[in-house]
C-alpha cells in the first residue's frame, strides 16, 4: 500500500488488532512506532499533524518499520463520532491493543534489535509497554513529546501557571491570540478535575482542539505515574521535547533528567518546536537527532 509521504507498507492483521510494516529485507532490526492521540488512523492523517512513520526515511536503509494501528481503524476514516470507539479509547485499552499486536508481530520474526518510538500519547504508553513486553531484544526507546517525570495533571498545572504568568494579568486575556487563549482555557478546564473528577463518559471533555478527547480518556491518563517505570529501565532512551510545547510541559522531561542522572538516558530539547511537528524544518531536525543518536549508541 502506498500513501504520499510514507514508505510503501503492508497492512498486517493480528488477533489483537493490526499494523503497517515497511520491510527491509537486508536488516534484522525493526523500528516500532506508537502514534499520538487522534480519531483517525496511525497513518494517512491529513489534519496538519505529522505521524512518525512518515518521518523515518533516514533509517529505512537500516531498519524495518512497523506502525501499530489503534484497534482496527481504517485509513481515511475519522472516528470522532463513533460511540464504540469513544467507549474503549482509553490508555489501558490502547496498552492492551499495542501489547497484543506487538507481541504477535515479534513472535513471527527474529529481530535481533527492536527500537520502540512513542510520540505524545504513544510516549505515555511507552514505559508501560516496555515493562509488559519484557523482551531482551528491545535495545532502545525514544520518547517524543511525552515527558513522564510528572503526571499529566501536574503537567497541566505547570502549563496553566506558565501561561497565566505570560499574560501578566487577566485584563489582557482578550488581547491574546486564539492559541494562547485556548491553552489557558484548556489547562484551566483540566484542573477542575482536582475538585470535581470527570464523569466516566465517552463524550468530549471540551470544545478546544486539544480537548476533543473524551472524559474517559482523560480519566485514564491524568494520574499515570510513569516515573517509577523509568526508574526500572536500564536500556538507552532518547527523550525529545519542544520548548514551546503547550500540551505536555517540558518540565516533565526535565524532571527525569534531573532525578535519574545515572541512567543511559539522552535528552534533546528543541528551541522552536511545540508539541506537534508541523513544518519540514521541524521534521528534519527531529529526524536528524534520532539518526545521529542511533549512530552514537551503535544501533
Amino acid at each position: 500500500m502506498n500513501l504520499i509521504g510514507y514508505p510503501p507498507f503492508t497492512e498486517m492483521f493480528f488477533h489483537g488488532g493490526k499494523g503497517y510494516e515497511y520491510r527491509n529485507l537486508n536488516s534484522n532490526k525493526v523500528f516500532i512506532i506508537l502514534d499520538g492521540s487522534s480519531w483517525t488512523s496511525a497513518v494517512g492523517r491529513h489534519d496538519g499533524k505529522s505521524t512518525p512513520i512518515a518521518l523515518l526515511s533516514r533509517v529505512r536503509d537500516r531498519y524495518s518499520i512497523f506502525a501499530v494501528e489503534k484497534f482496527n481503524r481504517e485509513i481515511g476514516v475519522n472516528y470522532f463520532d463513533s460511540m464504540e470507539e469513544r467507549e474503549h479509547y482509553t490508555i489501558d485499552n490502547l496498552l492492551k491493543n499495542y501489547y497484543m499486536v506487538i507481541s504477535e508481530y515479534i513472535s513471527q520474526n527474529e529481530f535481533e534489535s527492536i527500537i520502540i518510538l512513542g510520540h505524545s500519547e504513544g510516549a505515555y504508553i511507552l514505559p508501560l509497554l516496555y515493562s509488559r513486553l519484557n523482551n531482551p531484544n528491545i535495545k532502545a526507546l525514544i520518547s517524543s513529546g511525552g515527558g513522564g517525570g510528572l503526571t499529566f495533571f501536574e503537567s497541566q498545572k505547570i502549563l496553566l501557571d506558565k501561561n497565566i504568568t505570560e499574560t501578566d494579568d487577566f485584563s489582557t486575556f482578550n488581547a491574546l491570540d486564539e492559541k494562547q487563549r485556548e491553552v489557558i482555557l484548556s489547562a484551566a478546564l483540566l484542573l477542575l478535575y482536582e475538585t470535581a473528577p470527570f464523569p466516566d463518559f465517552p463524550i468530549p471533555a471540551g470544545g478546544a482542539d486539544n480537548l476533543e478527547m473524551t472524559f474517559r480518556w482523560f480519566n485514564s491518563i491524568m494520574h499515570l505515574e510513569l516515573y517509577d517505570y523509568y526508574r526500572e529501565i536500564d536500556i538507552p532512551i532518547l527523550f525529545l521535547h519542544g520548548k514551546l510545547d503547550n500540551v505536555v510541559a517540558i518540565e516533565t522531561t526535565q524532571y527525569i533528567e534531573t532525578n535519574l542522572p545515572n541512567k543511559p538516558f539522552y535528552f534533546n530539547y528543541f528551541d522552536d518546536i511545540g508539541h506537534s511537528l508541523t513544518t519540514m524544518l521541524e521534521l528534519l531536525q527531529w529526524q536528524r537527532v534520532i539518526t545521529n543518536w542511533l549512530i552514537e549508541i551503535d544501533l
Side-chain angles (χ1 to χ4, degrees), residues 115 138-142 233-239 263-266 293 297 299:
I115 300 169
I138 301 175
K139 304 298 185 183
L141 305 174
I142 301 174
I233 298 177
D234 292 312
I235 64 172
I237 304 179
L238 173 62
F239 289 88
K263 294 287 187 178
F265 297 170
Y266 302 74
W293 178 70
I297 65 173
L299 278 180

Side-chain angles (χ1 to χ4, degrees), residues 231 233-235 256-265 267:
R231 277 198 311 195
I233 298 177
D234 292 312
I235 64 172
I256 294 178
E257 183 176 17
T258 299
N259 290 281
L260 295 175
N262 298 320
K263 294 287 187 178
F265 297 170
F267 299 85

Side-chain angles (χ1 to χ4, degrees), residues 126-135 229 233:
L126 190 63
L128 307 173
L129 179 65
Y130 172 76
S131 176
R132 183 170 295 192
L133 287 170
N134 192 28
N135 188 308
Y229 286 87
I233 298 177

Side-chain angles (χ1 to χ4, degrees), residues 68-169:
V68 191
E69 182 60 278
K70 289 182 173 67
F71 312 114
N72 281 293
R73 291 182 179 178
E74 297 295 331
I75 296 172
V77 178
N78 189 314
Y79 290 85
F80 180 76
D81 293 323
S82 168
M83 287 305 297
E84 180 182 359
E85 191 80 4
R86 292 186 187 183
E87 286 282 351
H88 66 223
Y89 192 178
T90 66
I91 298 299
D92 290 341
N93 286 336
L94 269 178
L95 176 60
K96 294 175 185 175
N97 171 215
Y98 290 167
Y99 170 75
M100 292 177 68
V101 170
I102 292 172
S103 294
E104 189 172 352
Y105 175 68
I106 291 175
S107 72
Q108 295 174 359
N109 297 276
E110 296 183 357
F111 295 117
E112 71 170 17
S113 180
I114 301 167
I115 300 169
I116 306 179
L117 182 155
H119 175 68
S120 189
E121 173 190 81
Y124 266 82
I125 293 174
L126 190 63
L128 307 173
L129 179 65
Y130 172 76
S131 176
R132 183 170 295 192
L133 287 170
N134 192 28
N135 188 308
N137 290 328
I138 301 175
K139 304 298 185 183
L141 305 174
I142 301 174
S143 172
S144 172
L150 305 172
T151 66
F152 188 79
F153 180 72
E154 291 168 328
S155 170
Q156 295 307 303
K157 280 189 172 182
I158 291 171
L159 290 174
L160 182 60
D161 290 344
K162 186 185 299 184
N163 281 283
I164 287 177
T165 300
E166 290 176 355
T167 66
D168 294 325
D169 65 75

Side-chain angles (χ1 to χ4, degrees), residues 263-282:
K263 294 287 187 178
F265 297 170
Y266 302 74
F267 299 85
N268 193 95
Y269 303 104
F270 299 94
D271 290 335
D272 301 317
I273 292 181
H275 188 67
S276 298
L277 306 169
T278 57
T279 70
M280 182 58 66
L281 179 59
E282 292 173 358

